[in-house]
Amino acid sequence: MEDSYSVLARHYDSLMADTDYAGYADFYEKIIEKYAPSQPKRLIDLGCGTGSVSVLLAEKGFEVTGVDLSCEMLSAALKKASDKHIKMLLVEQDMAKLDCGENYGAAICSFDGINYLTKREELSQCFERTADSLCEGGVFVFDVNSKYKYENIIADNTFIYETEDLFLSWQNYYVKEKGICDFYLTFFEKHGEKWRRTDEYQRQRMYSDRTLRNALEKAGFEICERFSDISCAPVTDESERNFYVCRKK
């Protein structure tokens, strides 16, 4: 079985083709302007992936540092930045061990990146190190998958993605008592007349609002707002994501 993103990185952008990246970038810009207007426009993108949001924020004038554990994802991010002649610092690093300097005005983490921190101590370390990287009054915005999404949408379901050159089976196994969700990804990639199979594995953890609030408070953050999506809609019992807007005290 391959590392979590060694194959997925090659197909990530096509699988995420329907994602409103521009909407995410506009959302972050609006939140930062509202809560940290006087802070430096230096920004950390935690779990930046292939850099789609990072590049758009850099085009808006932010000095972006992208952090990701996957060198394959970072390679894709570097190509996007290079193609648009954008300068970004890209760091291959575990966000629970974040160490990319200080005096940032903002930090973001998109697309349930926080859920990949499967131990509570990793969650706490990530929040603490993010706080250490921010100026006083700096903003931290992230989203997590909700309990409703794990139990009613992801649950023990299997999702199939199919294109001309790829067949992907994405199987989910969720243990409600532990809040742990295992993802088993089976790729069939077309190479000439043959198909090659590769298996990858990922794991996420569901975090309750109380757990997140406690960890944020201990790290020195205050929660300013909480939304269900980038349109700033309120959170409900059936929201699939929870967005947290936090500020360093």
Side-chain angles (χ1 to χ4, degrees):
M1 189 169 290
E2 301 287 338
D3 294 337
S4 296
Y5 284 97
S6 59
V7 177
L8 181 59
R10 293 200 290 270
H11 305 286
Y12 187 81
D13 286 335
S14 62
L15 295 171
M16 296 282 284
D18 294 333
T19 303
D20 183 9
Y21 289 117
Y24 270 81
D26 290 344
F27 167 73
Y28 290 131
E29 182 182 40
K30 179 175 67 175
I31 292 298
I32 293 167
E33 287 180 348
K34 179 177 180 179
Y35 286 104
S38 61
Q39 297 298 343
K41 295 195 75 172
R42 300 181 66 226
L43 179 146
I44 306 172
D45 188 353
L46 296 168
C48 67
T50 61
S52 294
V53 174
S54 299
V55 167
L56 289 170
L57 289 171
E59 288 181 324
K60 289 177 176 290
F62 288 93
E63 181 184 335
V64 179
T65 296
V67 177
D68 204 281
L69 192 58
S70 167
C71 62
E72 291 88 358
M73 288 287 200
L74 290 174
S75 294
L78 178 60
K79 185 178 186 307
K80 285 180 184 176
S82 298
D83 288 346
K84 293 195 173 185
H85 306 288
I86 289 173
K87 291 184 178 180
M88 292 194 310
L89 175 62
L90 297 172
V91 182
E92 184 180 345
Q93 195 173 78
D94 183 343
M95 60 185 177
K97 301 176 182 179
L98 182 67
D99 183 13
C100 58
E102 301 177 346
N103 298 317
Y104 286 88
I108 63 172
C109 187
S110 311
F111 314 121
D112 48 86
I114 294 297
N115 292 114
Y116 286 97
L117 301 170
T118 57
K119 298 178 181 178
R120 292 194 180 189
E121 53 265 36
E122 293 176 337
L123 179 75
S124 297
Q125 288 170 3
C126 176
F127 287 172
E128 290 166 4
R129 289 180 178 271
T130 301
D132 290 341
S133 301
L134 294 174
C135 303
E136 182 178 347
V139 172
F140 178 32
V141 189
F142 66 92
D143 69 79
V144 293
N145 284 331
S146 67
K147 179 180 179 181
Y148 175 84
K149 183 175 181 180
Y150 281 115
E151 294 183 357
N152 297 278
I153 298 175
I154 298 176
D156 293 329
N157 290 319
T158 298
F159 300 96
I160 300 296
Y161 301 89
E162 186 174 7
T163 66
E164 183 177 345
D165 299 319
L166 172 71
F167 181 89
L168 168 60
S169 171
W170 188 306
Q171 297 176 286
N172 306 309
Y173 298 94
Y174 181 61
V175 181
K176 183 177 179 179
E177 295 74 17
K178 296 182 179 180
I180 294 293
C181 190
D182 290 319
F183 306 128
Y184 294 92
L185 289 72
T186 300
F187 297 87
F188 291 91
E189 297 176 286
K190 189 174 183 180
H191 295 271
E193 297 299 319
K194 297 182 179 180
W195 291 79
R196 183 173 67 191
R197 172 176 173 166
T198 310
D199 296 296
E200 291 187 353
Y201 164 77
Q202 298 177 16
R203 169 172 282 188
Q204 287 191 348
R205 180 169 185 167
M206 189 279 295
Y207 285 107
S208 68
D209 179 61
R210 176 182 293 182
T211 296
L212 292 168
R213 287 179 180 273
N214 287 341
L216 287 164
E217 183 177 357
K218 289 179 180 178
F221 286 108
E222 61 177 340
I223 298 176
C224 302
E225 295 190 80
R226 192 163 68 107
F227 304 117
S228 66
D229 56 38
I230 57 174
S231 72
C232 300
V235 173
T236 70
D237 291 340
E238 296 184 357
S239 296
E240 295 183 22
R241 291 184 184 272
N242 291 336
F243 288 75
Y244 287 79
V245 178
C246 314
R247 184 165 51 196
K248 182 177 176 179
K249 297 178 183 178

